Amino acid sequence: MTTVDPQESDRVRDAVQQYVARVPELTRATDGFITLVTSALDDAGINYLAVTGRTKSAESFAGKAARRGEGKLLYPDPLKQITDQIGLRVITYVRDDVDAVAQLLAGELTVLEDRDMGQETADQGRWGYVSRHLVVAVDASRTLSAEQAMLRTFTASVQIRTVLQHAWAEFEHDIRYKGTIPEAYAPDLNRRFTLAAGLLELADQEFSAIRDRLQETLPEQPAQEPDVDDPRLSAQELAKFLAGKYPDAGWSRTEHYTWISGLLLELGITSLDELAHALAASDGEAITARMGYRYPPAAVRRLDDALLSVYGKDYVALHGNGHRVEQLMERLSKLE
């Protein structure tokens, strides 16, 4: 029988009480981190499925704070040592974008911890849980709005995984934590989860191969007739054009292609020929080098940089850029 130190019990109880009092503030900070990360991903043009977040419940915090190992508390100072009080999750489509998101966050925030759970599993010669786990904080030098300033006093745990990795992890967690599996079935259950993990890893590889193959060549004609009522370049034909223009860049989100086609319309560009002519004088490699990215910029971000380089302040002044004038001027200063 394990004897629990009364002082340790008091320490846990005090920490839980303090945590309960902080939950409203943590909830606001969680929303702030979701906005911050989503804005960074959108600004970079990286393709992702979803960004979600949650504030750890008081019950979950209490359970974790009370965990013991080798007769002592695993978290002697739970308010500081439990780093997932604010938890974010970024879901991507392919594995390459997991790395791209991690690199982006490393450039935008201070990374206090970085664990590749999939690599750790692979190093053990197994298939199973795959996810990239970061613990991040806001760098002191980063410019924040008045509403975001409170984020400087918090850290956030960020899980990054593909949609297939997410499906496996959620299903496995749901089954195991319900505790309804008879012990006699456990070996077969483990074998089936391992098999599923291996199949999903193969599927992830195939999805990446499909994406890469589609980006290798630019079709001669768009797959669908243009909408005569909409003078903008369609998201589909723009995506195909950029895949040929920047073959080393990843896909961006579908809505990002639609968004930047609106900026092209403001510039009077309504055809791929006009776009190609406008970009003819731009040097994509030189632009990327000047920007000094720590992550692989996606296709729409590459086009955004090129248009900024070609049109300068006229591009910044476009109506569709009204919400990001300051950011564009900072980027323009790098290009100049």
Side-chain angles (χ1 to χ4, degrees):
M1 182 176 179
T2 302
T3 301
V4 178
D5 185 343
Q7 291 184 343
E8 290 184 345
S9 298
D10 291 342
R11 191 186 313 158
V12 170
R13 188 180 303 108
D14 290 343
V16 172
Q17 290 176 348
Q18 293 180 55
Y19 184 79
V20 170
R22 294 183 65 197
V23 165
E25 188 178 18
L26 283 165
T27 301
R28 291 193 296 272
T30 299
D31 293 338
F33 270 109
I34 292 172
T35 300
L36 192 67
V37 170
T38 301
S39 296
L41 292 173
D42 287 342
D43 189 46
I46 292 177
N47 196 21
Y48 66 93
L49 174 63
V51 178
T52 59
R54 63 96 184 100
T55 303
K56 197 173 191 66
S57 68
E59 294 79 8
S60 180
F61 178 86
K64 196 166 186 177
R67 288 182 189 172
R68 306 178 66 83
E70 299 181 354
K72 58 183 180 181
L73 290 173
L74 293 178
Y75 305 99
D77 191 352
L79 288 172
K80 291 184 178 180
Q81 295 175 318
I82 296 178
T83 57
D84 64 343
Q85 297 174 30
I86 294 173
L88 271 65
R89 185 173 289 149
V90 180
I91 308 298
T92 72
Y93 290 98
V94 294
R95 292 190 305 173
D96 289 348
D97 288 335
V98 171
D99 293 334
V101 171
Q103 291 178 46
L104 170 65
L105 295 183
E108 296 288 323
L109 302 167
T110 299
V111 177
L112 305 176
E113 183 179 332
D114 184 351
R115 292 186 65 187
D116 188 336
M117 308 300 290
Q119 188 59 53
E120 292 180 16
T121 301
D123 289 344
Q124 298 170 8
R126 298 186 297 106
W127 280 298
Y129 181 72
V130 180
S131 186
R132 189 83 174 264
H133 288 192
L134 307 181
V135 177
V136 301
V138 178
D139 189 278
S141 63
R142 183 184 176 92
T143 301
L144 297 176
S145 65
E147 296 77 12
Q148 293 176 322
M150 65 174 298
L151 299 182
R152 297 192 193 280
T153 60
F154 295 94
T155 63
S157 173
V158 185
Q159 296 178 352
I160 315 168
R161 57 176 73 141
T162 70
V163 63
L164 291 181
Q165 292 166 355
H166 179 62
W168 187 93
E170 289 296 289
F171 184 70
E172 194 263 359
H173 181 276
D174 185 61
I175 293 296
R176 291 192 186 279
Y177 280 78
K178 284 183 174 173
T180 57
I181 304 301
E183 186 175 348
Y185 295 167
D188 182 61
L189 180 72
N190 291 333
R191 186 182 70 85
R192 292 177 182 275
F193 270 122
T194 299
L195 176 61
L199 291 172
L200 290 179
E201 182 171 330
L202 178 61
D204 261 334
Q205 292 175 1
E206 291 305 308
F207 281 168
S208 294
I210 291 169
R211 192 273 306 268
D212 293 343
R213 178 64 60 85
L214 290 174
Q215 288 185 311
E216 285 178 359
T217 58
L218 175 66
E220 294 182 359
Q221 296 180 350
Q224 61 186 29
E225 293 296 322
D227 184 352
V228 295
D229 295 324
D230 188 347
R232 296 176 300 172
L233 285 166
S234 73
Q236 186 180 35
E237 61 182 329
L238 184 56
K240 291 177 179 178
F241 174 86
L242 295 181
K245 178 70 175 177
Y246 308 117
D248 57 334
W251 278 340
S252 298
R253 302 191 83 193
T254 300
E255 55 264 40
H256 291 167
Y257 293 101
T258 302
W259 163 75
I260 204 163
S261 71
L263 295 179
L264 292 173
L265 181 62
E266 286 194 63
L267 292 170
I269 297 173
T270 59
S271 72
L272 294 181
D273 287 341
E274 291 172 345
L275 178 57
H277 179 74
L279 299 179
S282 65
D283 185 337
E285 292 185 3
I287 291 172
T288 300
R290 289 183 181 179
M291 296 303 294
Y293 291 116
R294 294 179 59 183
Y295 61 92
V300 168
R301 181 57 179 252
R302 293 284 297 273
L303 175 58
D304 195 32
D305 285 339
L307 295 173
L308 183 60
S309 175
V310 171
Y311 292 97
K313 292 182 180 179
D314 289 339
Y315 183 67
V316 177
L318 295 179
H319 177 75
N321 285 327
H323 65 291
R324 58 181 192 137
V325 171
E326 184 177 348
Q327 295 95 317
L328 286 175
M329 289 303 296
E330 290 178 1
R331 287 164 55 190
L332 183 59
S333 67
K334 293 181 181 181
L335 295 174
E336 294 175 340

